[in-house]
Amino acid sequence: QEQLVEYGGGSVQAGESLRLSCRASGFMTKNVCMGWFRQAPGQAPGKEREGIVSIGHNGVTRYADFTKGRFDISQDKIENILYLNILNLKPEDTGMYYCAAYEAVVCVSWKPRERDFEYWGRGTQVIVSS
């Protein structure tokens, strides 16, 4: 059974950095497209989670415009861990961060959208204080 488990969130001060991790297990193929999303506190019901970055099984990455060099995705394919490094954290980065995935021979060519992803972790909380 496909499973994604995020960890590494926490409470930090503005300007600090965090590395979030997501351990993937149970996927039957190597054709796994993955991404990071976030949801701000009090987000309106029905609004999609905000896509941060995706990475295809060929290593191609697609970043949302707001990331502006502060976010970096990487992965350890041996350990099946996906990482998200966040630099210079800001209070507006506060939220729940989710790892997501879907299986496809070809990953979509656009920036990450919640509707494209099938499997989700439960999230890890990030709180940034000013």
Side-chain angles (χ1 to χ4, degrees), residues 41-94:
Q43 182 168 311
K47 184 178 179 181
E48 284 200 352
R49 282 173 274 202
E50 183 176 43
I52 301 171
V53 58
S54 63
I55 185 166
H57 42 75
N58 59 0
V60 173
T61 57
R62 304 192 188 279
Y63 286 85
D65 292 341
F66 73 86
T67 56
K68 295 182 180 178
R70 293 196 300 118
F71 295 75
D72 180 62
I73 192 171
S74 60
Q75 62 186 163
D76 182 334
K77 288 193 172 185
I78 296 176
E79 298 293 331
N80 293 323
I81 301 175
L82 185 71
Y83 299 104
L84 181 68
N85 284 295
I86 313 174
L87 306 176
N88 188 24
L89 279 152
K90 304 176 185 299
E92 53 264 40
D93 293 322
T94 293

Side-chain angles (χ1 to χ4, degrees), residues 11-26:
S11 295
V12 298
Q13 295 291 315
E16 294 182 346
S17 301
L18 271 180
R19 186 174 80 163
L20 308 182
S21 303
C22 170
R23 183 174 292 276
S25 61

Side-chain angles (χ1 to χ4, degrees), residues 84-125:
L84 181 68
N85 284 295
I86 313 174
L87 306 176
N88 188 24
L89 279 152
K90 304 176 185 299
E92 53 264 40
D93 293 322
T94 293
M96 189 70 79
Y97 283 70
Y98 298 91
C99 172
Y102 63 96
E103 293 179 288
V105 173
V106 179
C107 301
V108 298
S109 60
W110 47 83
K111 295 173 184 178
R113 301 183 310 184
E114 179 179 353
R115 72 194 77 166
D116 295 322
F117 288 75
E118 180 176 0
Y119 306 102
W120 292 83
R122 293 187 175 185
T124 184
Q125 182 79 42

